[in-house]
Amino acid sequence: MPPLSNVTSTASSETRGAVLKRFVQNSFGTGVAVGARTAGALVLNKLMALYGGPGALTLLAHFQNLLALFTALPSDGVQVGVIKYLAPLPPTGRRYRAWLGAGIVLNAGALLLGIGVLLLAPAPLLGAFHVGWEWVALFVVGVALLMVQAYWVAVLLAAGKLRAYIGLTVAVAVLGAGAAAGALVSGQGAQRALLAYLLGQGLVAAPGFWLAHQQGLLPRLRGRVSWVAVRQLGQFLVMAVSVLLFSYAVSFALRSALIQRFPLAKVDLWQAVTKLSDNYTMVFSALMSSVYYPRLAALMGQPLALRSYVRTVLLLVAVASAAGLGLLFLLRDWLLMVLFDTHFVAARYLVGPQLVGDWAKFLTWMLLFLLMAQARVGRYVAVQAGSAALYAGLLAVLIPRYGLVGVPLAHAVRFGVLLVGCGAYFRRYWRA
C-alpha cells in the first residue's frame, strides 16, 4: 500500500476497474486473517473437547462471552472512531496526535470501568470458573493486553496497512490456540488453558506496537489530552452501546422465548441455520471492517470519489453475495448434514428466508457504515432501535401464525424494510 497521503490525493482519479481491483485484492488478503481465526477456533474447540474434561466447551464459550463484555466498548466503539478520524490525517500532524491520545484515554477508561465492575460483582462474572484472585489478576492483565493489541490494529487499519493487520490477526489466532493447547496437553486443566488462551493473544500487543512504530504511526504524545477529541470519540461508544442493547439483548430474549414456546429439538433446527449464517456473516463482517470501512473513512473529504467507491463495491457485493448465497441454498441439505448431523436436514425449510434476509442485511450494513464514517451517532442509534422494534413486532405477528419459520421470515422482512429505507436515504451514493 502507498503512503496514506498518496492514497487520499489520488483516490478521486481511480477508475471503477481500479476500485474493484483494490477491493478484491484487499479482500483476498483479509481472507487469510479470517481463515486463521476460523482454524484457530476449530482447533481450540477440538482440544477443549478432548483434554478439557466435562463442561470444558461450555466454559470456553462462557469465557469468550466474558471477554466480549470487557472489550465490546473499545472494539465496537473507540476503535471504530479512531479509524474514522485517523484515516485522512498524516501521522505527523497535531490533529493526528490529538485523536491518537484520545483513543488511549478512552481505552484506559473502558479498562478501569471493567475492572471496577469485576471488583464489585466478581461472583456473577467469574463464579462459573471457580478461580482465585491470582487467576483474576492475570485475567485483568490479559484483557489489558488484548485492548492494547486491538488499538494498534485500529491504528494500522486507519493507515491502510492491511498486511500488518493480517499478520497480527494470524499471530493472535496461532498464539492464542497454541498457548491453550500447551496448557491442555500438559494437563493443567480448562481454567488455566483459558487463561493461557487470553495471555497468548495478548502477547501480540508487543509486535503490534513495533509494527505501528516502524510505520511512523505512533508519534510522540506531549502529555496533553484533547478533551474535544475525547468527546467526539466518545460518540462512538454510544453506537457500541446501542449494538449491545438492540442486537445482543434482542437475540438473547428471542432464544429464551423460543425455548419456552417450542421443544428444544425443534429450536435446535433454527439454531443450526443461524450458526450456518453466523459463519459466513463473520467473514463478511471482517472484510467490511478491515477493507471497506477504513476506505470510507479515508474518502470522507472527497464526495465524488466516495460515491464512486460505494457504488462500485455495493454492486460487486450485491452480485457476489447473491451468487454465493444461492449456491448455499442449493447445497443446504449437504451442509446441514456435514456441519451438524443427519437429522438437521429437517431444518432445510428455514434456510431460504434466512438467506434472503442475510443478503438484504449485507447491503444494509454497507450503507450503515456511511453513518459510522460520518459520525451520525443519533441517526445510527435511531436505526438500531427502530430495527429492533420492527423485528420484535414481526416476531410477535409471524411466530404465532407460521410457527418456527416465522423467525427467519421476520429476519427477511426486517432487513428488506431496512434495505429499502437505507437505499432511499443514501440514494445519491449508489445511483449512477
Side-chain angles (χ1 to χ4, degrees):
M1 296 288 289
L4 184 61
S5 56
N6 292 342
V7 172
T8 55
S9 63
T10 60
S12 59
S13 62
E14 284 187 321
T15 64
R16 176 171 294 185
V19 170
L20 282 174
K21 183 179 179 181
R22 177 200 294 271
F23 181 79
V24 172
Q25 286 177 339
N26 289 344
S27 297
F28 275 120
T30 303
V32 175
V34 176
R37 286 173 56 191
T38 303
L42 292 173
V43 169
L44 182 58
N45 290 340
K46 185 70 173 179
L47 289 173
M48 290 293 283
L50 289 175
Y51 300 104
L57 285 177
T58 299
L59 280 179
L60 173 61
H62 199 52
F63 185 75
Q64 289 171 330
N65 286 341
L66 182 66
L67 290 182
L69 291 175
F70 278 85
T71 60
L73 290 182
S75 294
D76 296 332
V78 180
Q79 268 70 295
V80 172
V82 164
I83 291 174
K84 170 193 164 45
Y85 288 117
L86 292 188
L89 299 175
T92 54
R94 181 176 59 84
R95 292 179 61 206
Y96 184 97
R97 291 195 301 270
W99 295 118
L100 185 69
I104 293 173
V105 168
L106 286 174
N107 272 288
L111 177 62
L112 291 175
L113 177 62
I115 294 173
V117 173
L118 186 62
L119 293 176
L120 290 173
L125 294 173
L126 302 175
F129 301 104
H130 305 291
V131 292
W133 284 106
E134 178 185 355
W135 190 96
V136 175
L138 289 174
F139 171 79
V140 170
V141 171
V143 168
L145 290 173
L146 202 60
M147 287 184 179
V148 171
Q149 176 266 135
Y151 191 63
W152 303 146
V153 166
V155 171
L156 289 163
L157 281 176
K161 308 299 181 181
L162 197 59
R163 289 185 180 180
Y165 158 77
I166 294 168
L168 291 176
T169 303
V170 172
V172 166
V174 171
L175 290 177
L184 287 167
V185 173
S186 61
Q188 296 185 40
Q191 282 84 356
R192 288 186 177 274
L194 295 174
L195 198 57
Y197 164 69
L198 170 59
L199 293 172
Q201 291 180 315
L203 290 176
V204 183
F209 172 81
W210 182 82
L211 283 171
H213 181 72
Q214 285 293 105
Q215 298 288 345
L217 302 175
L218 299 179
R220 185 175 180 179
L221 302 179
R222 298 176 180 176
R224 299 179 63 183
V225 176
S226 171
W227 295 108
V228 173
V230 169
R231 284 194 298 272
Q232 289 185 288
L233 272 184
Q235 296 175 3
F236 287 86
L237 290 176
V238 179
M239 292 186 184
V241 170
S242 72
V243 173
L244 289 172
L245 292 177
F246 302 127
S247 179
Y248 300 151
V250 169
S251 297
F252 182 82
L254 169 61
R255 188 174 291 104
S256 299
L258 292 179
I259 290 172
Q260 294 178 5
R261 187 179 185 91
F262 300 103
L264 281 177
K266 196 167 185 178
V267 179
D268 277 350
L269 299 179
W270 168 76
Q271 191 67 69
V273 174
T274 59
K275 282 293 185 184
L276 177 64
S277 172
D278 289 344
N279 288 332
Y280 55 74
T281 297
M282 180 188 71
V283 176
F284 175 82
S285 180
L287 291 177
M288 293 299 105
S289 298
S290 60
V291 178
Y292 178 69
Y293 174 69
R295 190 65 178 157
L296 287 186
L299 293 175
M300 272 296 114
Q302 302 175 61
L304 293 178
L306 178 64
R307 285 198 292 270
S308 175
Y309 182 72
V310 171
R311 184 166 56 247
T312 302
V313 177
L314 193 65
L315 178 61
L316 172 65
V317 171
V319 174
S321 61
L325 293 173
L327 180 61
L328 289 179
F329 179 77
L330 295 176
L331 298 175
R332 63 193 183 281
D333 291 357
W334 180 79
L335 287 170
L336 289 168
M337 181 176 61
V338 170
L339 294 179
F340 302 101
D341 202 352
T342 306
H343 70 275
F344 281 101
V345 176
R348 68 191 311 272
Y349 73 105
L350 301 172
V351 175
Q354 180 70 39
L355 296 178
V356 171
D358 286 342
W359 182 81
K361 177 177 70 176
F362 292 164
L363 300 185
T364 300
W365 282 2
M366 292 186 68
L367 294 172
L368 288 179
F369 268 118
L370 285 165
L371 287 182
M372 297 172 67
Q374 295 167 353
R376 304 279 189 177
V377 178
R379 295 177 188 181
Y380 184 87
V381 173
V383 171
Q384 292 291 336
S387 173
L390 173 63
Y391 190 41
L394 288 167
L395 290 169
V397 172
L398 295 176
I399 291 178
R401 184 165 185 173
Y402 296 105
L404 196 61
V405 74
V407 183
L409 282 175
H411 170 71
V413 174
R414 171 198 194 184
F415 280 103
V417 171
L418 286 175
L419 179 58
V420 171
C422 289
Y425 182 81
F426 291 109
R427 58 188 178 277
R428 68 190 181 96
Y429 288 97
W430 57 266
R431 279 185 174 177

